[in-house]
Structures are given as C-alpha cells and as structure tokens.
Amino acid sequence: MDVFGIIGWPVGHSLSPAMHNAAFQALGVKAVYGLLPTTPEDLAQAISGIKALHIKGVSVTIPHKEAVIPLLDELDPVAREIGAVNTILNRGGSLWGTNTDWLGVKKALEEVVSLTGQRAVVVGAGGAARAVVYALKKARAAVEIYNRTWEKAQALAQDFGVEARPWAALGQADGEILVQTTSVGLKEDRSPVPREILGRFKVVMDIVYDPLETRLLREARAEGCLVVNGLKMLVYQGAEQFKLFTGLEPPVELMEQAALEALKGEKNG
Ligand code: ATR
C-alpha cells in the first residue's frame, strides 16, 4: 500500500484527498492519500518525514509552495522558473520537486480556447499568478499583468518578460482572455474586475473555486464570455500529479466529479 498526501496549513478543506482516492479506487491502485497538516515551523521536519515514512509522493499547497524548495534534493527546471513547487516525488529516498499548477491552468483554458497568439490579461501578481503567467507564456499568448500593488506587477512582468500595466488602467484593459488570480471573490460576492470591460473578452477564467461561479464568472457569462472556473485548474493540476504519482493515465472526469462532491459536502457539513 503506497502512501501519498498533501502538506499545507491549513489543509482541512483540501479537495485533493477526494480526487486522488477516487482515482486510486477506480484504477485499482493500492494506495491511500491523506491530509498532512504542517505548520510553517514544522516544514523542514515534515519534509524529512516524507523520507523516514517512505511516503511516495506529496502535494504541496499554501503556504509552503516556495518555502519547500531549499528542502528538496532535486528541483525540476519548470518549478525553478515558476518559483514554486506543488508536487514532490520520493524517488528512492531522493525528493524531487516539480510544478503541475501551470499545466492545470493551460489545460483548463485550452479546453475552450487556443492560446497561441492571443492577448491575455492577468489580474493579480501573487503566488498563484506566477503559474498562470508561466502557462500563458509557454502557450505563446501575449500577457499583460494588472495588480493593485504596482511594484509586484512590475517584478512579476520582469521575471517572465511580459508587460505590466497600472491597476488604474484596468478599465481600459482589452484582449481575448482574462484570468483572475487574486483571492477577491473567495467566499464573497465580489469581483476585482469592472463589469464594463468583460464583454471585450472571449474567455474569462477565475482561479477561485469557492463559490464555483464567482461574481466575476456570473457577470462574464451574462456578457457572453466563455467562462472557466477554478475547479478546472484544480482538477487538471491534480490529474497531472496523479500521472506522476502512479505513471497511469488519470480518470479526469471522475476526479472532477469527486472534487465537486467534496466541495458540496464541505458546504453542507
Ligand atoms: P496567492 O499566493 O493566493 O496569489 P498572494 O501571493 O498573497 O496570494 O497574492 C494575492 C494577490 O491578490 C495579490 O496580487 C494581491 O494584490 P497586492 O499585490 O496589491 O496585495 C491581490 N489582492 C488581494 N486582495 C485584493 C483586493 N482587495 N483588491 C485587489 N487585489 C487584491
């Protein structure tokens, strides 16, 4: 029986156990995936614990995605470039870190639109924005970053060789794709993007998935845009992780269903 888990703080509301365990079960994999709540102070000990306990693989979430990097034995160049690790594999006692978040964004968007040559507006410049900008750039979209704090927009744009625009200019933003990466709208009926500009975009994606349809997505839908919710990104990053954990083709639809049910269960319980 192989053991997997998720390291984060807090991690109790994670949908990853539901997703991975459903996939293990469906494919007859003898493995279990659990919560591994880890405080920032205990991170180094927890990482050594992966080796000591022969845990095969671990998902990493907030607030450890950056802090975990110096604690690993090997780092995938992609994770180095993004500056964050969301997946660790225990390869015979050597811990290898990689990142599947960017693939989650790329696949979620590519389900509805081709990204090459498109103009993409990214709202926000925090940790989550890094994987989004990397994904868009990798898919050869032209990226503009808008962030409340100008210095952070500038720093992120510089890191990835894309454009930064002042927050006050968001009302003039234009393009084919808009991706919202801030925490605005999480468990609240608020959107950081003026409704008037939404009609200019073909596709609007929100990385927030609680609620599943944020105010931004509701307004974008009403303006005629194709919308992509944050659960899609979560499911696709998890599916890529499952591939790395097991070497098997992930049952993506089943994982999405399991995540959706876990999300609903959270609300009812
Ligand atoms: P994460 O890792 O989830 O991206 P983060 O690194 O703390 O979290 O980044 C949060 C992002 O949300 C930032 O871009 C932040 O903008 P600032 O750089 O100006 O702080 C953005 N954000 C948070 N609250 C916001 C608000 N009320 N309006 C606009 N942007 C907000």
Side-chain angles (χ1 to χ4, degrees):
M1 177 71 79
D2 289 332
V3 176
F4 297 88
I6 179 161
I7 285 183
W9 188 263
V11 80
H13 298 287
S14 171
L15 306 178
S16 293
M19 235 175 6
H20 285 288
N21 285 321
F24 289 149
Q25 220 162 34
L27 300 189
V29 179
K30 288 196 168 44
V32 61
Y33 183 108
L35 297 175
L36 304 168
T38 304
T39 64
E41 306 81 72
D42 288 342
L43 183 63
Q45 282 194 67
I47 296 301
S48 340
I50 297 173
K51 294 186 190 181
L53 298 167
H54 299 94
I55 293 173
K56 289 258 320 224
V58 162
S59 312
V60 183
T61 189
I62 289 165
H64 302 318
K65 287 185 185 187
E66 287 114 48
V68 82
I69 291 177
L71 304 171
L72 302 174
D73 301 306
E74 298 166 82
L75 190 63
D76 178 11
V78 170
R80 178 173 292 118
E81 203 169 332
I82 296 173
V85 160
N86 82 323
T87 309
I88 299 172
L89 287 193
N90 184 351
R91 294 169 158 178
S94 175
L95 300 184
W96 176 75
T98 189
N99 189 304
T100 66
D101 283 334
W102 75 278
L103 276 169
V105 182
K106 188 165 167 286
K107 291 195 171 229
L109 281 169
E110 282 177 341
E111 216 176 60
V112 300
V113 68
S114 159
L115 298 172
T116 311
Q118 305 281 293
R119 290 171 304 149
V121 164
V122 173
V123 179
R130 296 187 68 87
V132 171
V133 172
Y134 182 86
L136 289 166
K137 211 179 155 215
K138 199 82 181 166
R140 299 172 191 279
V143 182
E144 287 182 355
I145 302 167
Y146 292 78
N147 189 59
R148 184 178 59 178
T149 307
W150 168 246
E151 290 72 22
K152 279 172 72 180
Q154 230 179 358
L156 180 61
Q158 203 156 35
D159 276 0
F160 290 98
V162 301
E163 298 296 319
R165 298 265 183 268
W167 185 243
L170 187 57
Q172 283 87 58
D174 197 1
E176 281 84 37
I177 297 156
L178 183 144
V179 186
Q180 195 303 106
T181 74
T182 78
S183 50
V184 179
L186 173 65
K187 296 186 170 133
E188 58 176 5
D189 194 39
R190 233 159 37 100
S191 163
V193 184
R195 180 175 176 152
E196 309 80 73
I197 75 165
L198 295 176
R200 301 173 193 163
F201 296 87
K202 188 153 81 182
V203 176
V204 173
M205 174 172 179
D206 202 332
I207 66 155
V208 171
Y209 61 80
D210 187 8
L212 206 52
E213 180 153 282
T214 56
R215 178 173 188 153
L216 170 66
L217 294 190
R218 194 174 71 233
E219 292 180 346
R221 193 189 292 279
E223 295 292 332
C225 312
L226 289 170
V227 300
V228 181
N229 66 48
L231 198 72
K232 287 279 180 193
M233 172 185 172
L234 182 84
V235 169
Y236 280 120
Q237 68 74 31
E240 291 301 316
Q241 215 164 50
F242 185 86
K243 223 186 262 184
L244 293 169
F245 286 163
T246 63
L248 300 172
E249 217 33 60
V252 180
E253 277 174 33
L254 185 128
M255 291 176 82
E256 181 170 6
Q257 211 46 47
L260 201 57
E261 273 163 34
L263 186 64
K264 280 190 207 146
E266 279 270 303
K267 296 208 177 307
N268 299 332

